[in-house]
Amino acid sequence: MCGIVAATATRNIGGDLIRMLRCLDYRGYDSAGISTFSGGNAIEVRKKQGPLAGLEEVLGESPIDGHAGIGHTRWATHGVPSDENAHPHLSEDCGVSIVHNGIIENYRELITEIEAAGIKRVSETDTEVLVHTISLFLAKNGDATAQQIVWYLSQKIRGAFAIVIQRANKPEEIIGMRYQCPMNFVSLSGIAAISSDISSLIEYSRDIEVLKDGQAVAITPNGHAVFDFNGTPSESVKVHADWPIDKVAKDGFDHFLRKEISQEPEALRALVKSARSSADELHAFIAAQDIKKVIFLACGSAAFAGTLGSFYARHKKLPIDVLSEIGSEFRYLPPYVDDKTLMVAVSQSGETADSIGAIEHAKSQGARVLSFVNVVGSTIDRLCDMSVRLAAGPEVAVPSSKAVINQFMATTLVVELLADNSEASFDAWEKGCLALADTIENIIAREDEIADFAAKIAGHQSSFALGRGLDFASALEMALKLKETAYLHCEPMFAGEFKHGSLSLVEYGMPIFCFLGDPAVRHKSITAIEEIKARGAHPFIFDAQDRDDPDVAALGHYFNAANLGPPYSSVAHLTVAHLLSYHAGLLRNTDVDRPRNLAKSVTVE
Ligand code: F6R
């Protein structure tokens, strides 16, 4: 969740650290910091609560630089966002500096040891405990090698982590160790660098080394050594990053979120190309297994794609169980999984810890795993038996938009192929996606209408999103996006369930978003809209008819997108949800690109 960088070179690397951190800003913006070694016996640190710009200001007033350094953007887990809790954390003698992503589960045990040694903590973080633990070890073992330090620390700690260590007594060497949190590096002549994201290393080289769980690396300007936690030399995974470097730029848009919504049509067309290039492999992958159960597995918006997929499987009358499961629950309350199970994992980042845990569990039970991942080379991309690129292009805004559209369409492709694993079936899906891309373009062109709706809901504190059948997935996405982007509470519900209790919350004027994209249940959903209208609520109705339906339009605020049929019409409504949430966020003065308390990539459980 936090972003980690490091560099060691035959020249100053202060600027490199900041440039790399800029690529990782989305991973956490509670605070940012760097430490560098510029000679003498001490490492110097600058850190600041808030986004990276705050750190840059501090560095402007009080610069530090050197040939080696480490850096961090934080998403707070232990301890509030503050200057004190910001990383890097320094040992008392300023001889060791550490940045960390993840959670150290047994940090309280380590505090006891540290306090017994007379060390006073200055922060509330688990990371600071690590730096004192190493410093106590080095006090007795001043010449310890990188391998010995990693071995010692790995014996002491439990949890999920990516840790980077800099020490003053061996200033040119930086150590990274990884367990269940991503870590990558490049090693060139004169410079080596570490980062939690491949994207921030591409400026050095497209040949990236990805550490596996339980591996560590020691980098110097002249080379590197990869080894396991016992110190045994080991091989990292080599990835060639052949995807385009996305300039982290808004390209004339006010916000990344708005830019990324505008990219939804092109992202979807790119998914079609990507799936087409994997078509033979996909047909073969599905044909190779006697599939008795399918489990869509994901978190957040990506999990709503699973909801759509599992409901669409019922539309297609698939004679097998197709479940949609949430990553965080799966490991602890798993459905029955065996070698006749196909898990379909869906993830933008490919680093979502809850999804990774679930995939590992499913694999351990014999399931085969197919993934749809946006970030190439990410953990999920590498972990699965087959991976198809979502190809949405890099997403910077924390609320996911273009990747979600592709995630939704990815699950429907799997269902189409399970129903009929033929070229014709693939072609029909492709045609549907291309028509959907055109419809999304039309929806974006009608942004003003959606902005008007946003003005009507912006003053409210609570709302509902209703859908039946396939539309329930649209309702889920609308509710999450409004909460996340506009801080407006929205509860998703099956339209038919509303009358079983929640209707009591309806007050005069309350906004209720009603989706009519699934033709199988349209008339039923209209009945629900009539009911809530009778109770004084204000329905916002998202229809999918060839022509506006005046009877339905008379029930509330009405937006009719094209009639594409199932499942495409339900997915077209996601763009409406994205634009509505974006405009509501602007009116409610939220940070739509970086909502409070959230990070783009959730690499902790
Ligand atoms: C919502 C959002 C999150 C992600 C979820 C899964 O806008 O961005 O709910 O969908 O955290 O992330 P990935 O797809 O990276 O596994």
Side-chain angles (χ1 to χ4, degrees):
M1 205 100 161
C2 307
I4 287 182
V5 299
T8 172
T10 47
R11 57 168 174 76
N12 280 349
I13 45 67
D16 296 65
L17 295 178
I18 296 296
R19 259 200 316 281
M20 285 198 279
L21 284 180
R22 252 183 231 130
C23 295
L24 301 184
D25 207 14
Y26 72 86
R27 288 183 78 100
Y29 31 87
D30 288 333
S31 60
I34 62 167
S35 71
T36 57
F37 179 81
S38 58
N41 296 319
I43 297 167
E44 282 193 279
V45 173
R46 299 287 182 272
K47 49 190 187 176
K48 186 74 193 152
Q49 184 189 341
L52 188 58
L55 171 66
E56 289 180 279
E57 244 172 65
V58 169
L59 284 167
E61 287 159 16
S62 172
I64 55 170
D65 211 338
H67 284 200
I70 64 180
H72 192 261
T73 55
R74 177 166 188 248
W75 187 81
T77 53
H78 289 78
V80 296
S82 68
D83 290 355
E84 292 73 29
N85 289 337
H87 301 209
H89 289 281
L90 259 186
S91 60
E92 281 186 332
D93 64 357
C94 301
V96 185
S97 173
I98 277 199
V99 291
H100 158 232
N101 175 22
I103 289 176
I104 304 301
E105 286 167 3
N106 62 332
Y107 81 106
R108 285 197 181 81
E109 292 162 27
L110 299 174
I111 289 177
T112 316
E113 288 179 27
I114 288 160
E115 288 180 347
I119 293 174
K120 280 205 169 37
R121 289 187 307 138
V122 292
S123 80
E124 304 155 309
T125 64
D126 47 350
T127 310
E128 190 195 343
V129 178
L130 298 179
V131 82
H132 297 313
T133 302
I134 294 178
S135 152
L136 286 174
F137 176 69
L138 288 178
K140 291 192 193 131
N141 305 275
D143 295 332
T145 60
Q147 284 78 355
Q148 286 164 330
I149 293 171
V150 165
W151 173 82
Y152 179 74
L153 202 55
S154 71
Q155 302 295 302
K156 299 290 282 185
I157 59 177
R158 268 197 327 271
F161 48 80
I163 299 169
V164 169
I165 307 161
Q166 172 180 31
R167 59 205 202 280
N169 71 347
K170 206 155 185 207
E172 72 291 348
E173 182 180 80
I174 289 175
I175 306 169
M177 59 192 284
R178 164 194 169 141
Y179 187 69
Q180 291 184 354
C181 290
M183 184 172 285
N184 317 286
F185 70 96
V186 290
S187 177
L188 308 158
S189 165
I191 186 162
I194 293 177
S195 174
S196 30
D197 263 34
I198 289 177
S199 60
S200 53
L201 295 173
I202 287 182
E203 68 173 286
Y204 299 112
S205 170
R206 286 183 167 274
D207 292 314
I208 313 281
E209 309 265 353
V210 179
L211 284 189
K212 294 187 267 193
D213 279 339
Q215 281 187 331
V217 65
I219 54 167
T220 69
N222 308 314
H224 67 273
V226 177
F227 45 93
D228 65 20
F229 289 177
N230 290 322
T232 311
S234 176
E235 281 288 312
S236 51
V237 178
K238 289 168 184 40
V239 172
H240 182 69
D242 59 356
W243 58 95
I245 301 179
D246 191 60
K247 33 183 189 18
V248 181
K250 292 180 188 154
D251 290 339
F253 290 93
D254 290 336
H255 299 95
F256 285 108
L257 179 57
R258 181 61 190 79
K259 171 184 159 186
E260 287 158 11
I261 295 171
S262 81
Q263 291 175 324
E264 288 180 355
E266 73 186 66
L268 183 51
R269 291 180 192 119
L271 169 68
V272 168
K273 270 198 197 139
S274 154
R276 176 57 74 188
S277 69
S278 301
D280 290 346
E281 210 190 329
L282 257 177
H283 287 306
F285 188 84
I286 286 174
Q289 190 183 10
D290 177 18
I291 300 169
K292 291 280 186 270
K293 183 186 284 184
V294 176
I295 299 174
F296 289 113
L297 187 286
C299 299
S301 288
F304 308 153
T307 305
L308 182 82
S310 65
F311 287 7
Y312 189 48
R314 297 187 198 181
H315 262 249
K316 303 292 282 187
K317 299 192 171 29
L318 286 193
I320 49 171
D321 284 336
V322 181
L323 312 178
S324 172
E325 294 281 326
I326 299 290
S328 52
E329 287 297 308
F330 190 86
R331 249 183 302 178
Y332 305 105
L333 202 61
Y336 181 73
V337 174
D338 64 12
D339 61 0
K340 293 190 168 41
T341 305
L342 169 65
M343 174 178 270
V344 181
V346 183
S347 178
Q348 190 287 124
S349 62
E351 298 294 353
T352 303
D354 289 326
S355 298
I356 294 169
I359 294 166
E360 282 168 345
H361 175 81
K363 286 191 81 165
S364 74
Q365 302 302 299
R368 291 173 87 218
V369 186
L370 166 66
S371 70
F372 287 87
V373 174
N374 204 35
V375 178
V376 184
S378 57
T379 305
I380 296 179
D381 188 28
R382 290 180 288 106
L383 190 61
C384 296
D385 299 299
M386 179 181 170
S387 188
V388 180
R389 293 184 184 191
L390 282 171
E395 253 191 359
V396 175
V398 169
S400 185
S401 56
K402 56 180 178 167
V404 175
I405 301 277
N406 286 10
Q407 289 169 335
F408 270 60
M409 289 323 300
T411 61
T412 67
L413 173 61
V414 174
V415 173
E416 298 292 3
L417 297 183
L418 287 167
D420 172 12
N421 194 12
S422 71
E423 269 308 294
S425 169
F426 198 102
D427 291 348
W429 174 84
E430 181 173 304
K431 215 169 136 214
C433 284
L434 296 176
L436 173 60
D438 294 343
T439 297
I440 291 176
E441 243 157 37
N442 292 334
I443 291 172
I444 294 170
R446 294 169 62 194
E447 183 173 5
D448 286 353
E449 291 172 59
I450 298 169
D452 277 354
F453 284 7
K456 291 185 170 68
I457 65 167
H460 289 267
Q461 284 314 319
S462 196
S463 60
F464 284 95
L466 305 186
R468 297 185 76 132
L470 304 180
D471 292 327
F472 185 58
S474 318
L476 288 167
E477 174 67 354
M478 170 66 95
L480 185 66
K481 278 296 169 310
L482 273 178
K483 285 185 272 200
E484 173 180 37
T485 311
Y487 307 164
L488 169 58
H489 180 255
C490 184
E491 189 178 335
M493 289 214 60
F494 286 106
E497 268 296 287
F498 206 41
K499 58 185 179 293
H500 293 290
S502 304
L503 196 54
S504 67
L505 284 179
V506 169
E507 291 172 347
Y508 182 78
M510 180 185 240
I512 303 196
F513 309 103
C514 310
F515 292 92
L516 298 178
D518 183 347
V521 284
R522 186 167 186 274
H523 58 294
K524 295 279 178 204
S525 295
I526 292 171
T527 306
I529 298 172
E530 279 163 343
E531 274 167 17
I532 56 167
K533 169 106 179 139
R535 308 286 161 184
H538 280 179
F540 289 77
I541 304 162
F542 306 114
D543 208 351
Q545 296 295 298
D546 291 329
R547 275 177 299 283
D548 288 3
D549 181 333
D551 293 337
V552 176
L555 294 174
H557 306 289
Y558 184 76
F559 186 99
N560 182 29
N563 178 8
L564 301 171
Y568 305 97
S569 283
S570 299
V571 181
H573 286 151
L574 303 184
T575 303
V576 183
H578 295 163
L579 281 170
L580 185 63
S581 307
Y582 169 73
H583 282 283
L586 295 189
L587 292 167
R588 290 164 70 86
N589 208 20
T590 61
D591 184 344
V592 294
D593 281 341
R594 298 192 298 190
R596 66 184 172 212
N597 306 337
L598 299 178
K600 180 96 188 133
S601 175
V602 188
T603 57
V604 289
E605 223 191 306

